Amino acid sequence: MLLVSWPNRKRDVGAELGNRAAGMTAAAPYVWLILQDGNLPLGPDRQFNEGDHVCTATLIWPDGERPTRDNSLVIDPCFNTTGWATAVKRLASVGVTPDDIGYYFECHQHDDHRLQIPNLRSLLTRRQCDLTWKCLERPPSVFPGISFPLCPGHDADLRAVRFRDQCGELWITSDAVLNREWLVAWEYYWPNIYSMPQIVETWRSIGKIVAAADTIVPGHGSPIRVDVELLQELIDRFPNAEYASQCPDVLTVLKDRLRHRGGT
């Protein structure tokens, strides 16, 4: 799957006003490319599906430019063998190799999102084996308009990556949003054994993300469009979420975003 933008998107004036109020700048938009398709075999119904447990890995770089060591950033670069082979092919589709990439960023420090590049010599030439990707700890000036908002819950230090593309505001959320299935079910990743405050933080982080994003790239799944249908489904199902009564502000935020989207 190759994605850089959503076609034929309508302008969301309400979201744009909210972005300005939140301090988002009108920086030049970025292009993004899914390098590894995320998957989560465990479903919110506690049943297992096919496929490997693998995170979504995404490359971003400035629109109108070629990805280089100075302007490109890979988010959550934890590749398995299949994912890395796919990433190499997708990089080639935009005319670059892994050796052309400059930076990487790990949204949180769980092992399934930290830098991992398997079996390099079987996939790359010798010159490309010695990758020099630099860990991005603070946004350098080469990435204007990108911010890293804190989204605690799944992990206390989890940070999303927030920027604009040609179609609106995009959030790469890592595991603050696992995938669409887990999102609409209002389920947290229960194998990690979270406390009530952590679950409430998870819901508040989801509320913050959905209130601002036009597109969400989740931690283990395909990109999610934030449209009226999604917002209404989240609102309808939220009362059944565990500890929903402890964070009624989440429902308020979602309803506000729905009104901006033209819903009821």
Side-chain angles (χ1 to χ4, degrees), residues 177-195:
V177 176
L178 291 166
N179 58 34
R180 186 186 179 96
E181 184 182 15
W182 284 80
L183 174 63
V184 298
W186 285 105
E187 285 287 350
Y188 57 92
Y189 196 65
W190 51 267
N192 289 358
I193 312 177
Y194 292 106
S195 66

Side-chain angles (χ1 to χ4, degrees), residues 1-262:
M1 180 179 64
L2 214 63
L3 284 173
V4 294
S5 63
W6 293 110
N8 302 320
R9 295 289 301 278
K10 293 183 179 179
R11 183 182 178 193
D12 184 351
V13 176
E16 289 177 2
L17 292 173
N19 292 338
R20 295 191 189 107
M24 288 291 288
T25 64
Y30 286 82
V31 179
W32 51 283
L33 175 70
I34 300 296
L35 297 181
Q36 175 174 258
D37 301 322
N39 185 61
L40 193 61
L42 179 62
D45 58 359
R46 306 199 174 199
Q47 301 299 309
F48 282 91
N49 304 306
E50 294 182 355
D52 295 331
H53 180 118
V54 62
C55 73
T56 307
T58 309
L59 174 70
I60 61 178
W61 72 95
D63 193 12
E65 299 182 21
R66 176 182 179 275
T68 70
R69 289 190 179 186
D70 296 322
N71 70 3
S72 57
L73 175 63
V74 180
I75 312 300
D76 283 351
C78 187
F79 296 97
N80 66 8
T81 302
T82 300
W84 182 246
T86 300
V88 171
K89 292 178 182 178
R90 291 180 179 175
L91 288 170
S93 75
V94 294
V96 298
T97 72
D99 198 47
D100 295 312
I101 305 307
Y103 296 90
Y104 70 92
F105 180 74
E106 298 163 343
C107 289
H108 64 299
Q109 293 301 298
H110 290 179
D111 286 344
D112 59 334
H113 291 263
R114 299 182 66 185
L115 178 65
Q116 174 179 290
I117 301 177
N119 198 19
L120 280 173
R121 293 188 180 278
S122 69
L123 294 169
L124 304 174
T125 67
R126 183 178 182 84
R127 185 184 67 83
Q128 295 166 335
C129 285
D130 300 322
L131 295 183
T132 56
W133 296 3
K134 293 173 283 189
C135 181
L136 185 70
E137 297 179 353
R138 294 288 184 272
S141 59
V142 293
F143 295 118
I146 296 181
S147 62
F148 300 83
L150 185 65
C151 296
H154 182 87
D155 181 77
D157 298 318
L158 190 152
R159 289 189 177 273
V161 181
R162 179 185 187 186
F163 59 93
R164 296 191 68 80
D165 67 5
Q166 290 284 5
C167 298
E169 186 164 328
L170 189 138
W171 286 57
I172 300 174
T173 66
S174 196
D175 287 352
V177 176
L178 291 166
N179 58 34
R180 186 186 179 96
E181 184 182 15
W182 284 80
L183 174 63
V184 298
W186 285 105
E187 285 287 350
Y188 57 92
Y189 196 65
W190 51 267
N192 289 358
I193 312 177
Y194 292 106
S195 66
M196 184 272 283
Q198 291 171 318
I199 295 168
V200 169
E201 279 191 320
T202 298
W203 303 156
R204 287 188 167 133
S205 290
I206 287 174
K208 176 167 68 174
I209 293 163
V210 173
D214 296 301
T215 304
I216 297 168
V217 177
H220 293 271
S222 301
I224 303 166
R225 293 180 64 172
V226 180
D227 53 22
V228 169
E229 291 73 22
L230 175 66
L231 289 163
Q232 190 63 63
E233 187 170 11
L234 291 172
I235 289 167
D236 292 344
R237 293 189 175 196
F238 180 70
N240 297 322
E242 192 169 354
Y243 302 120
S245 62
Q246 301 298 312
C247 48
D249 49 295
V250 174
L251 193 58
T252 300
V253 165
L254 295 175
K255 289 180 177 179
D256 286 346
R257 181 65 195 276
L258 181 62
R259 281 194 290 272
H260 286 151
R261 278 294 197 192

